[in-house]
Amino acid sequence: MPLDFKRPKFLSRLFSPSKDRASNSTVQRSQIRSSQSILGGAHHFQTGDLRVLNAPNATQVNAVKEAAMQQNVDKIERGRLDTLPKRPDMSRMWVEFLPNSRQPEIEELCERESSSTHLVLCVHGPAGIGKSILAGHLSDEFRSAGRLAASIFLDVFAADAPGPETIVKMIAHEIGSIHTQAIPKIVEAMDQCHGTSLGNYLQKYILEPLRSLHHPQPLIIIIDAMDEWRDAAIFIQAIAPLNSESSVVKFILTYRLNPCASRMPGIDRVSICTYSLGPIAKEVIKTYFKKYLGTVLWVDGRKASPTDVEKLSELSGGLPVWASTVIALLSHPFNESPPNKILAEIVGSRLQVGGADGLGELYRFALRRLFPSSEARKLFRRYIGATIALQESLSLLDFSMLAGIPPHLINRIQFALSALQTRSRPPGMIYPATTLFHSSFLEFLQNMTRESSFAISAFDSHSALGLTCLEQLSSLLAPSPRCNFPLCAIQHYAVKHWPYHMSNGTPRSKDQWSQTKHCSTLQTVLAAGTRKQWAILFWRTLMPEADELRLEDVGEENSMALTLRRLAYWLDQSGGDHWGFQVACLDVAVRIDNGDAEAWSELGRVYRARGDRMGSLQMYEEAVVAFRHALQLRPDSHPGHAELLDKIAIALRSSYRRNGNHDRLREAILCSRTALTLSPVPHPDRGRYLSTLANTLNHLHAHNSDPKTLNEVISLHREALALRPPPHPKRPSSLNNLGAALSDLYRCNDDIKGLNEAISLHREALALQPALHPDRSRSLDLLASTLQPLRVHNGNIDTLNEAISRHREVLALCPAPHPRSLNNLACALHSLYQYNRNIRSLDECISLAQEALALCPAATALRAATLDTLATAILSQFEQNGVVDVLNKAISLFHQALILCPPGNINRGYPLENLVKALRKRIEVTGDDQDRGEIEVLKAGLAALQPAKAKRLGEY
């Protein structure tokens, strides 16, 4: 059955936060703060006990009262700040920062931070190089200088790390804790941001509080181990609008790989500079070994020799993690061999970092020493596998029940593994492995191939924990409709995390799933009388502040699969950081009932939405897989078959946009054509399928510049428009799509009829979108951009003035700096300058183009267009002042634009034509013919691309 969930009553207040409360608290704060001027006449008072000294008049008494009220509000605001998520404690790192070990790097990083206007400084280097140690030191240094806004270390979180909204709140809590003057703005954000976009979170929780401090220098936010965070791409894309705010806030991020070189999704939108972190100097490592080898309890006076120190320093490869691991092994009392024997084996075995296995050789050596017997290694695998899958900390006894390992054996394993920990934790609890061990160690265990006695399967570990969680539920849930709360820790964990462990530890295949013990246990434990109780407990665990889920909300008739789908839907609507739980619910749902097509389709939708948000190729690929599963369950005759083909086409097209794989684009076109074939007139969704195919073919035309492809795009958009007469809600979109395609056709053939029709279509779309319509800015932008070339044909200044007015309106509607809108307005102002020769128009054009360029993603069509705009304006500036350096700057910018428009690119003609003109001017000014050969090459390229324009250039 189609999933058409209505919002249940318990969600109604969740989506309508108390506006009165928010506005009242804001008003109260403003009233109190406006009264602070009264304090100017008060002398010698103490607000703690309200004792007034030398208060000669009532004004002073009132001032004390106002101060007491202010103090009360400050306490309330501080209390509310403390309800925000807090970053984990980083004070227990075992690998210390070696004094002066990174002095040249620190000086270089500080110089870059102070001299650059980039929003982000990215420090990258391989595992174990010391990025986290450096990040911690920089955090201390900036805090001492009064310039630290916040520091977050992402590798201390469990495997299921918080979502970006939660991380933003953690940063805000740090800001408020360090800079108490920012607390009022943070509290305002808490009242205003529920359920809003991540961009709004960044504006309200971070930018506005920092801006309110009026600090003379930008404050620094340090985020370590970004590459270990699943939502890194989402966060990176979200901070891009802050590019122009680098005078208020800057970010220092650490990665293993250079995110620019590895083409991390969204990184090209951010103003960023990178710094490659190299190994620590050998002399520093030697100093470290000399210091800590002296703390080892050597036997019979056999100590490390200078030769040993020299060899260890060489073997370390400058990696602090390698050095600290060696010291831990030599110092660990669990080893049966004396330290000098272990040292001799390390030195003699040449466990060098630079080998093919990197740190793996040392880890393998350590594990063999710490767990010498087959039984010990078996226990190690069970323990470490369970902690790798573990999602939150548990007491020793609770973890013992969950993992099925006796407590005394857990203590022995913990003691042995303490030699390999990079962080310590308070005793008595078992923590997720990611919060204790270096990521390189955990990756070594899960990627091991040669040494199976230590290899860990995360799949098997999740499988075991998932089954234990279900068994815990069997003792918790009963046929009675009452659900006791709060739960004990192990019950809380089982209620919350069994879907996640099941989704990561059982096969999706129907045949394989049905043979698992999980399948039969699930049917027994969560039968009709108990699954509703679990749903209530699950909701209450994840959403403690929301209205309670009731049995009638879940529905007595629901299957387990439908219950999971409902929960996933409500989590999606809640606006919180629950994507992992949402996917887990749907991932289990598709295993049940032989894989329902609707459940697969919903899973695909969730993955695609995540892909849109993250720009993640992996999410789009997961969406394709899920939609294909749904398609297999729907025969060609099924009315939803075409809809799934359309969804697959959109996901494939999104995948193509991320990786440029033309096989993906061709497959998307094939799926889209098939969907259209299955939906003849008068199919209600034919218009949507026409638009999907047209938009997909438009990507093909951008690649091949084939006029036939563009003509088909126009034909498809015309048919879609005909199927969407007024007042169809999608008519404005179809009008704009057709108008944009006709504008592309005009750029190819200079046909004024197509341009006039495009303008007419955009005007009609704009008329259908009143002032508050969310898509009005797109119609305005398309209309303005289409009016500009019309003015070239009709010579009417009113056309140009309207274009400028429309562009200014678009810019006013943009919630944050918008490079495309800035560039479009700059283009229009340059056209105005060419008409009236008013230098103010040219100056504004250059200023806007420079601002747009600073915000432009690297290696994109938008950046190429902005470079061309700025170069053209600077060329006009040269015509004003005749300065050759200005002309050379314009030529350099035209060359940069041309690089971003390689042969075959539809936009290559603009920088080609403009560069020819600029080079001709340089010959005229300098009399140097050295540019003549390049001009001929450029003209030949333009003639092949756009013969009409090449002809207009004429012969030089």
Side-chain angles (χ1 to χ4, degrees), residues 559-602:
S559 66
M560 188 64 211
L562 188 57
T563 298
L564 288 164
R565 287 166 57 198
R566 283 183 179 272
L567 287 168
Y569 172 79
W570 293 332
L571 287 173
D572 185 42
Q573 296 294 300
S574 70
D577 293 334
H578 302 302
W579 182 82
F581 293 101
Q582 185 184 352
V583 169
C585 285
L586 290 173
D587 224 347
V588 176
V590 300
R591 290 161 166 76
I592 303 171
D593 296 339
N594 295 326
D596 180 76
E598 288 292 339
W600 279 112
S601 182
E602 287 157 27

Side-chain angles (χ1 to χ4, degrees), residues 48-106:
D49 54 8
L50 295 183
R51 288 189 295 110
V52 181
L53 306 177
N54 298 334
N57 52 51
T59 301
Q60 291 177 321
V61 175
N62 290 335
V64 173
K65 291 181 179 178
E66 295 291 351
M69 290 175 62
Q70 175 63 60
Q71 190 178 51
N72 187 47
V73 170
D74 288 344
K75 287 181 179 179
I76 293 172
E77 290 179 338
R78 182 58 194 241
R80 293 194 64 193
L81 177 78
D82 287 339
T83 64
L84 289 174
K86 301 171 184 62
R87 73 163 198 179
D89 181 20
M90 280 294 296
S91 62
R92 295 174 178 266
M93 285 188 66
W94 283 13
V95 184
E96 65 174 315
F97 181 80
L98 304 179
N100 302 316
S101 61
R102 291 286 189 186
Q103 196 58 37
E105 292 92 337
I106 291 170

Side-chain angles (χ1 to χ4, degrees), residues 637-911:
S637 58
H638 192 283
H641 193 83
E643 181 182 12
L644 280 171
L645 284 166
D646 185 68
K647 290 178 178 179
I648 293 172
I650 294 172
L652 287 167
R653 185 177 72 204
S654 299
S655 178
Y656 162 76
R657 292 175 64 184
R658 292 308 317 166
N659 64 6
N661 185 334
H662 290 282
D663 289 337
R664 281 299 199 223
L665 184 60
R666 284 188 286 270
E667 189 179 355
I669 293 170
L670 178 61
C671 288
S672 194
R673 289 195 190 281
T674 306
L676 197 59
T677 302
L678 294 173
S679 310
V681 177
H683 194 283
D685 293 323
R686 182 172 175 81
R688 176 155 56 92
Y689 302 157
L690 284 162
S691 294
T692 298
L693 178 56
N695 291 331
T696 307
L697 286 169
N698 202 45
H699 285 285
L700 180 62
H701 174 252
H703 172 71
N704 64 16
S705 301
D706 186 348
K708 293 180 180 179
T709 304
L710 181 56
N711 286 331
E712 185 179 2
V713 169
I714 292 170
S715 175
L716 291 165
H717 280 314
R718 287 195 189 282
E719 186 180 349
L721 182 62
L723 293 174
R724 294 170 171 176
H728 196 288
K730 291 293 184 181
R731 182 170 178 82
S733 176
S734 283
L735 288 163
N736 282 327
N737 287 339
L738 178 55
L742 288 168
S743 294
D744 288 341
L745 183 64
Y746 164 76
R747 285 199 293 270
C748 294
N749 62 14
D750 285 346
D751 186 355
I752 191 61
K753 292 181 180 179
L755 185 63
N756 283 325
E757 184 182 359
I759 291 171
S760 176
L761 291 165
H762 293 318
R763 288 194 189 281
E764 184 181 346
L766 190 62
L768 294 172
Q769 295 169 326
L772 298 179
H773 195 284
D775 297 327
R776 180 175 172 82
S777 61
R778 179 172 184 253
S779 297
L780 281 165
D781 186 61
L782 288 169
L783 174 59
S785 299
T786 314
L787 285 169
Q788 282 179 244
L790 177 64
R791 191 261 165 187
V792 176
H793 282 270
N794 63 18
N796 189 339
I797 190 60
D798 291 338
T799 303
L800 181 57
N801 285 331
E802 182 185 359
I804 293 171
S805 175
R806 299 293 192 185
H807 280 311
R808 291 194 190 280
E809 189 177 347
V810 172
L811 204 56
L813 290 174
C814 292
H818 198 285
R820 187 179 301 279
S821 300
L822 289 165
N823 180 58
N824 289 341
L825 178 55
C827 288
L829 287 168
H830 185 260
S831 297
L832 181 63
Y833 164 76
Q834 289 178 314
Y835 174 81
N836 61 17
R837 297 296 168 178
N838 187 327
I839 194 63
R840 286 183 298 180
S841 299
L842 182 60
D843 288 343
E844 185 181 3
C845 166
I846 293 173
S847 175
L848 290 168
Q850 288 173 334
E851 183 180 354
L853 190 63
L855 297 170
C856 270
T860 60
L862 176 57
R863 185 170 184 85
T866 306
L867 284 164
D868 187 69
T869 300
L870 180 57
T872 303
I874 290 176
L875 185 60
S876 296
Q877 191 178 55
F878 160 75
E879 292 169 350
Q880 281 275 347
N881 59 29
V883 177
V884 176
D885 285 345
V886 174
L887 175 60
N888 290 334
K889 182 179 180 181
I891 291 172
S892 174
L893 291 168
F894 281 133
H895 275 126
Q896 293 178 48
L898 198 61
I899 291 172
L900 296 178
C901 298
N905 189 295
I906 191 174
N907 296 313
R908 184 172 172 83
Y910 295 105

